[in-house]
Amino acid sequence: MTYTHRHLLGIEPLHPTEITTVLDLAEDYVALNRSGDKHSDVLRGLTQINMFFENSTRTQASFELAGKRLGADVMNMAMQTSSVKKGETLIDTALTLNAMHPDLLVVRHPQSGAVDLLAQKVNCAVLNAGDGKHEHPTQALLDALTIRRKKGRLHRLTVAICGDIAHSRVARSNLILLGKMENRVRLIGPPTLMPSGVAEFGCEVYDDMREGLRDADVVMMLRLQKERMDGAFIPSEREYYHRYGLDAEKLAYAKPEAIVMHPGPMNRGVEIDGTIADDINRSVIQEQVEMGVAVRMAAMDLLARNLRAARAGQA
Ligand code: NCD
């Protein structure tokens, strides 16, 4: 097992063998989560604090459940009602929490880079649960685990990521991970929703969805991140659905056995047709949620091992 980092801040610093380490350990947790007794005590005695400065349903619930199943003491900070609203800075909030001796800090923040900054100020392990448009590493890892289980491998696949690429940390973390594992990544979307400089990641860019989907093994759909848009990026949702909404007709361009993914929350009738999302022969959206808990258990288990080893070294 190799995972050498103190934190999980992004996919960028990870070596392919570290990605494989997380996924392999997550497989054990998939089995545990499907068993009668879902409990383990690898995090017993450790305190996990979840700080979500941005709304979340799945990710927060998933981290909370992951921590509880591993035996940690888990606390959810209600950031909407915390002193942040009274003007306290992110760093002051972090230092206050740090004084309570947490071991694992799970942070989501609307600003890119905020979680990295916070990690420099505390002496516990920090997990990035999404920072602005930057990274969402556990999402990319759970997507990778879902793909590996469904396709039997995580290399030499053609993965089409479609929609609001420019504002998506999910797209960014995924394209970095898929690139590291030697897959072919295609980005599909209107030019207004394509970030500049994507070419440096070595992916192909399409504004025609049918062309982009041709022979894809995996089709990953994204939500329009309106909360990160400061103006009009699309003419209308109707027009957007017409050109970029995934329906049966467009999906027919991908391989017949292609899987359909979505990180959630989904906007049916905007980026995806509801019948495709619910088609258990194509859509793996529910599996993604299941893999999310297992991947977060694996990530926290590995970080806790490193934390304990570092503390033993200091003692
Ligand atoms: C994503 C996120 O928050 O970045 N959702 C998630 O974590 N499941 C994508 C999104 O909000 O559209």
Side-chain angles (χ1 to χ4, degrees), residues 54 58-59 108 136 139 169-170 223 225 227-228 263-265:
E54 226 183 50
R58 256 155 295 269
T59 308
R108 168 171 286 192
H136 191 353
Q139 179 70 45
R169 53 197 177 206
V170 174
R223 181 178 67 91
Q225 310 251 310
E227 71 276 25
R228 290 185 228 293

Side-chain angles (χ1 to χ4, degrees), residues 1 46 58 72 117 136-137 142 185 211 247 270 296 313-314:
M1 288 255 183
L46 300 185
R58 256 155 295 269
L117 186 69
H136 191 353
L142 76 88
V185 181
E211 242 178 77
D247 56 14
V270 180
R296 288 169 181 127
Q314 282 162 12

